[in-house]
Amino acid sequence: MTSEALRSRPFHQVDVFSDQPYRGNPLAVVVDAEGLSTGTMQHFANWTNLSETTFLMPPTDPLADYKVRIFTGSEEFPFAGHPTLGSAHTWLQAGGVPKADGVLVQECGAGLVRVKHDAGRLAFAAPPLTRFGPVDDSIRVQIAAGLRLPDEALLDASWLVNGPTWIGVLLGSAEQVLAIEPDFAAMGDLKVGVIGPHQTGTGVDFEVRTFIPGDAMVEDPVTGSFNAGAAQWLIGSGRAPEEYIAAQGTVLGRAGRVHITAEDGEIWVGGASATCIEGTVLL
């Protein structure tokens, strides 16, 4: 922490990507973060011990409604999915009024991200992929070892970088995805998301799991950025319909649901958000 004078600031913890409280992905949000240093924000994000903590402040771009900075416990991200939806939900709940009817604009490290209401949920427009294409053979071998799967089980593997450096892996079925027992040591520093189709009639279309490197390798409960990249990849290649629902967090006891819609050449990534904790924090 720096020597900044402490003051009381509005603080929320929000559950994102589930309509069942406490079964999505939690997010800490400091509503009024103006004046905080980067070091203070990073220190506080480490202290919350959540996958991400966001800090809302006035925008610097005249087209934006608010600015957000997104931190994990160890680094700042230019963009992330569940922090985008949770931050937008919190900004609106705190009395924010978008400049344009029906769409709010978030300023973040990756640029401007539009967020809209979609069937009672918030949805963000998937940012463009900054790296996209097949991984090389050595990385594919490493991924297969990390997932403890034979190479032939990986139907495809592609870079899906939209801030986080995801690699997407397509398997043949949701059952294969759910059965993975990852070898985190073999996975090394790769950030891998795995997706496979469900059988019809299950209420969801795909199962997703994402594995994140770091001091302690973890499985993320629900991951908006990966789902955004995977949707662009799978819909663009004809492997997924233009509207589908992905389940995530199942093996962790969560009930994440990510709603994907392709509309007028854009991919929208939506999900429910609910405020679970509301109060103040000294920062």
Side-chain angles (χ1 to χ4, degrees):
M1 294 281 285
T2 69
S3 58
E4 299 161 5
L6 298 178
R7 69 176 176 87
S8 180
R9 301 171 190 266
F11 175 76
H12 294 195
Q13 279 195 202
V14 182
D15 197 35
V16 184
F17 282 127
S18 181
D19 57 8
Q20 301 179 43
Y22 309 106
R23 296 195 68 192
N25 198 353
L27 174 74
V29 186
V30 177
V31 177
D32 175 15
E34 191 171 16
L36 293 178
S37 69
T38 296
T40 294
M41 288 187 275
Q42 182 63 79
H43 186 92
F44 183 70
N46 178 271
W47 179 83
T48 66
N49 203 33
L50 296 178
S51 57
E52 279 101 3
T53 298
T54 64
F55 300 84
L56 307 186
M57 57 196 70
T60 59
D61 189 309
L63 298 177
D65 292 299
Y66 65 90
K67 180 178 179 179
V68 64
R69 294 184 68 179
I70 303 167
F71 289 82
T72 71
S74 60
E75 63 181 315
E76 183 173 6
F77 278 174
F79 168 79
H82 100 274
T84 292
L85 292 188
S87 294
H89 166 86
T90 301
W91 184 80
L92 290 168
Q93 189 176 55
V97 179
K99 295 173 182 176
D101 289 340
V103 178
L104 64 85
V105 179
Q106 170 183 282
E107 178 184 350
C108 60
L112 300 180
V113 177
R114 288 172 297 131
V115 182
K116 69 175 183 177
H117 283 282
D118 182 24
R121 298 174 292 267
L122 291 175
F124 66 84
L129 295 171
T130 57
R131 183 178 184 184
F132 175 66
V135 302
D136 63 36
D137 289 343
S138 63
I139 291 179
R140 185 184 175 101
V141 168
Q142 184 180 352
I143 292 170
L147 298 177
R148 303 183 198 266
L149 292 173
D151 180 75
E152 58 269 22
L154 280 59
L155 301 185
D156 200 358
S158 176
W159 290 103
L160 301 174
V161 179
N162 54 12
T165 54
W166 289 112
I167 296 174
V169 175
L170 177 64
L171 300 185
S173 70
E175 290 75 18
Q176 288 176 290
V177 174
L178 291 168
I180 291 170
E181 297 181 0
D183 180 343
F184 286 120
M187 207 173 294
D189 62 356
L190 299 179
K191 187 173 290 189
V192 177
V194 187
I195 186 167
H198 273 276
Q199 295 182 353
T200 57
T202 60
V204 292
D205 302 289
F206 290 91
E207 189 72 35
V208 171
R209 295 176 70 184
T210 54
F211 306 105
I212 302 174
D215 295 335
M217 292 286 290
V218 297
E219 179 169 351
D220 196 42
V222 201
T223 317
S225 59
F226 173 75
N227 278 282
Q232 290 165 284
W233 177 39
L234 298 180
I235 293 175
S237 62
R239 291 164 163 149
E242 292 192 343
E243 187 170 339
Y244 68 82
I245 300 173
Q248 191 177 350
T250 306
V251 298
L252 301 176
R254 308 294 178 90
R257 295 294 183 267
V258 182
H259 296 255
I260 300 293
T261 305
E263 185 178 286
D264 298 327
E266 288 191 293
I267 301 293
W268 292 87
V269 181
S273 296
T275 301
C276 297
I277 300 173
E278 184 175 357
T280 59
V281 64
L282 287 174
L283 275 177

